[in-house]
Amino acid sequence: MACIRLKENWEFNGESTYRHVNTHLPNYARPRFIRIKSAIELTATFKYRKVQLVEEGFNPAVIKDRLYFLDDKENLYVQMTQDMYNSVKNHVFKL
């Protein structure tokens, strides 16, 4: 998973992000999930606060941020739904 903050007045484009990731990263390094946050929290020593993000995982019922999933069949990042999450958790859809 990658957690990113967009520049002000920018929108996430799943198709162009997929093309960029597919062109510049090997298959094993491509993020399966992209989480869009309005602000990235820092610790007192200016490190990114990651523990909470790991604990929340990729469950759209828990995460209030926008969450996108890499769909190799459609060649784009699509917004994660509860149905997609359930399919992954129940091993119907394999990552």
Side-chain angles (χ1 to χ4, degrees):
M1 180 181 296
C3 182
I4 61 173
R5 180 178 171 269
L6 298 175
K7 289 183 179 180
E8 194 171 324
N9 298 323
W10 282 51
E11 287 296 320
F12 181 79
N13 184 319
E15 189 175 341
S16 66
T17 303
Y18 176 86
R19 280 195 314 269
H20 181 80
V21 165
N22 197 35
T23 302
H24 297 289
L25 295 175
N27 192 35
Y28 64 86
R30 295 175 190 151
R32 287 289 185 177
F33 303 96
I34 294 181
R35 183 173 176 174
I36 310 294
K37 293 198 57 80
S38 57
I40 305 292
E41 295 89 20
L42 299 174
T43 66
T45 57
F46 303 105
K47 296 177 185 170
Y48 293 116
R49 197 175 293 272
K50 298 177 287 244
V51 174
Q52 182 183 1
L53 297 174
V54 171
E55 289 173 353
E56 291 173 350
F58 62 96
N59 186 349
V62 174
I63 297 172
K64 302 304 176 211
D65 303 317
R66 288 181 291 157
L67 182 64
Y68 294 89
F69 175 72
L70 176 64
D71 189 341
D72 286 318
K73 291 178 184 173
E74 299 292 325
N75 295 333
L76 57 95
Y77 280 92
V78 295
Q79 191 146 13
M80 185 76 166
T81 64
Q82 192 64 42
D83 290 337
M84 293 169 91
Y85 173 79
N86 293 337
S87 295
V88 172
K89 288 300 269 186
N90 295 326
H91 304 287
V92 174
F93 184 84
K94 301 205 186 261
L95 297 177

